[in-house]
Amino acid sequence: TKKNNPRQTQRPRAPLCQNFQKGICNRNADECNSTHAIIEDDSITYVTHIAAHEAPITHILFHNTLMITSSRDGKVRTWDIKTGTKQDELSIEDANITTLFLHKNVIIIAYHTTTTTSTTTTMTAKIKIPTMSINFTAHDKPIIALASVGNLLVSASEDKTVKFWNITKGGSQQSHKIVLPHQVTCMSVWRQLLFVAVGNGGIHVMRWEKEHQAETTLYVLRQQCGRGVVNSIHIWPTEKDNGAMIITASSDGGLCIYSMEQHDQLSSEVFQTT
């Protein structure tokens, strides 16, 4: 019997998108329906590339002329923004750093470590403040986000809790804890309002009451578009009526934009989807 020549039976390759050579698209031309708007402007110039870490970068902060990066390699590094040169480094042994937070010029680091024995695996999520020599266990699972409300540090974790901490030179003390029905995926704070997204797609909107050191759940905002998990929340203040725009990004690639008016009189009627 005569064997078929693979070269004769191979299907012809479909032409690639016209922007393949420009590094913008790697799809076939007949699969691509994007116009790929390209900025042709001399005002945007490539500067440099920095091999910053040996593992995925988890967070970036900016402070004055410094860029601060954290990574799963257990290192926090500072960089000169203009030159791209490394200025300093902090290393935490066997740590997976998940996020950073800058509060009153103080860098706060959230990380977790895993200890494995012959029978069990234990995870410990900690918060470290190097300049204050503070390092304490905060959660049982990775910390997703850090923020501040008033003088309190706020940590949100995959263990379904949001915790408030009094941080002093003598150490840390838990002030309050919120237990949520699902795993926390992200958190954002604006003024005295906390926006905490959880695994079922809902966003819990809470107001922190300074006088009573407690939170009041005002509303559970359900995603009005898309079915993915919310993994990022951004608040954009507006001049009208002391309100804001709330932008949520979800795992299905969608964005939801909500308008919020009069945050000091927040109720369920305040939110409108756009």
Side-chain angles (χ1 to χ4, degrees), residues 94-190:
D94 298 326
N96 186 333
I97 300 175
T98 53
T99 190
L100 299 174
F101 183 62
L102 189 65
H103 181 60
K104 296 181 179 180
N105 298 328
V106 175
I107 298 176
I108 303 172
I109 306 167
Y111 70 97
H112 60 269
T113 58
T114 303
T115 304
T116 303
T117 65
S118 58
T119 56
T120 60
T121 298
T122 304
M123 177 179 289
T124 304
K126 295 185 176 183
I127 294 174
K128 185 180 182 69
I129 309 176
T131 56
M132 299 178 66
S133 300
I134 292 176
N135 190 27
F136 63 95
T137 300
H139 293 270
D140 298 327
K141 291 186 178 181
I143 297 169
I144 298 299
L146 296 171
S148 63
V149 176
N151 293 320
L152 297 177
L153 176 68
V154 186
S155 61
S157 168
E158 291 182 3
D159 64 7
K160 303 180 183 179
T161 67
V162 175
K163 295 182 180 180
F164 299 76
W165 307 92
N166 277 309
I167 306 295
T168 63
K169 292 182 179 179
S172 62
Q173 181 180 6
Q174 183 178 308
S175 168
H176 187 64
K177 180 173 74 171
I178 303 170
V179 179
L180 295 162
H182 301 278
Q183 175 180 311
V184 176
T185 58
C186 64
M187 174 180 66
S188 185
V189 174
W190 181 60

Side-chain angles (χ1 to χ4, degrees), residues 200-229:
N200 70 339
I203 301 171
H204 292 251
V205 185
M206 294 165 277
R207 180 186 287 120
W208 176 254
E209 305 290 348
K210 291 182 180 179
E211 296 80 8
H212 306 292
Q213 295 287 287
E215 99 292 342
T216 302
T217 299
L218 301 170
Y219 190 59
V220 179
L221 182 63
R222 299 295 179 186
Q223 279 284 75
Q224 301 297 316
C225 51
R227 298 182 179 180
V229 174

Side-chain angles (χ1 to χ4, degrees), residues 22-117:
K22 298 176 182 179
I24 297 174
C25 181
N26 62 358
R27 288 175 290 183
N28 294 334
D30 56 352
E31 297 175 349
C32 186
N33 58 3
S34 174
T35 57
H36 299 300
I38 304 170
I39 299 175
E40 299 288 354
D41 192 340
D42 293 338
S43 64
I44 301 177
T45 307
Y46 172 80
V47 178
T48 187
H49 170 264
I50 303 173
H53 290 271
E54 291 71 46
I57 294 172
T58 55
H59 206 96
I60 299 176
L61 291 176
F62 293 93
H63 180 55
N64 296 329
T65 61
L66 293 178
M67 177 173 66
I68 308 165
T69 61
S70 65
S71 169
R72 292 180 184 173
D73 61 13
K75 295 179 175 63
V76 176
R77 291 170 173 163
T78 58
W79 310 85
D80 184 284
I81 296 174
K82 294 182 179 180
T83 64
T85 56
K86 186 172 72 172
Q87 301 295 300
D88 203 358
E89 176 180 300
L90 171 71
S91 180
I92 305 175
E93 187 177 358
D94 298 326
N96 186 333
I97 300 175
T98 53
T99 190
L100 299 174
F101 183 62
L102 189 65
H103 181 60
K104 296 181 179 180
N105 298 328
V106 175
I107 298 176
I108 303 172
I109 306 167
Y111 70 97
H112 60 269
T113 58
T114 303
T115 304
T116 303
T117 65

